[in-house]
Amino acid sequence: NRKQISHLMTVVIQIQDMERTISALQIAGLFVTRLSSTGGFLGRRNVTLLVALPAGQEELVVKTLSSVCRRRVEYVAVPMEGGPLPMPISTPVTVGGATIFTFEVERFEEF
């Protein structure tokens, strides 16, 4: 017997964290659907997870995500201003972690 679903979390993570994140959420007994996505500042491949959960489980998801999704430093080429030639310089940018949106579910049916 499944618990009543009352919230849907939309979670955007880096593809490098996908397998560990999905596994950790499933071990916690949560329902996870994966969608491939692209976007963000660097236009990198991300994964969007839809996590259905009963009331009171939101903090479990946040704690799980914070333990498996990590931030990384990537370098992007930025044009150097004021130089005679448009030579790009590498600039470090912190990416990763998890972006979480939580929605209340008015109705949930499964058939």
Side-chain angles (χ1 to χ4, degrees):
N1 223 355
R2 295 185 176 191
K3 295 180 182 179
Q4 181 63 32
I5 301 301
S6 66
H7 289 83
L8 177 69
M9 282 188 157
T10 302
V11 180
V12 181
I13 61 172
Q14 285 190 306
I15 199 153
Q16 297 96 315
D17 295 325
M18 177 186 66
E19 289 183 29
R20 288 180 2 149
T21 302
I22 291 173
S23 177
L25 292 170
Q26 288 175 336
I27 288 170
L30 301 169
F31 306 112
V32 181
T33 299
R34 177 183 59 122
L35 306 169
S36 295
S37 57
T38 304
F41 178 68
L42 299 175
R44 302 285 193 232
R45 286 179 51 210
N46 299 315
V47 174
T48 300
L49 303 176
L50 302 178
V51 184
L53 44 135
Q57 297 293 306
E58 298 86 2
E59 280 304 310
L60 171 64
V61 175
V62 172
K63 285 180 184 178
T64 301
L65 293 171
S66 67
S67 71
V68 295
C69 298
R70 64 182 195 85
R71 292 186 175 265
R72 297 167 178 81
V73 175
E74 294 190 8
Y75 292 87
V76 296
V78 176
M80 185 171 63
E81 292 184 28
L85 298 172
M87 294 186 56
I89 57 172
S90 290
T91 303
V93 177
T94 303
V95 298
T99 302
I100 306 167
F101 301 92
T102 304
F103 305 94
E104 286 189 31
V105 174
E106 290 183 24
R107 182 174 171 173
F108 170 76
E109 290 185 32
E110 190 174 45
F111 50 91

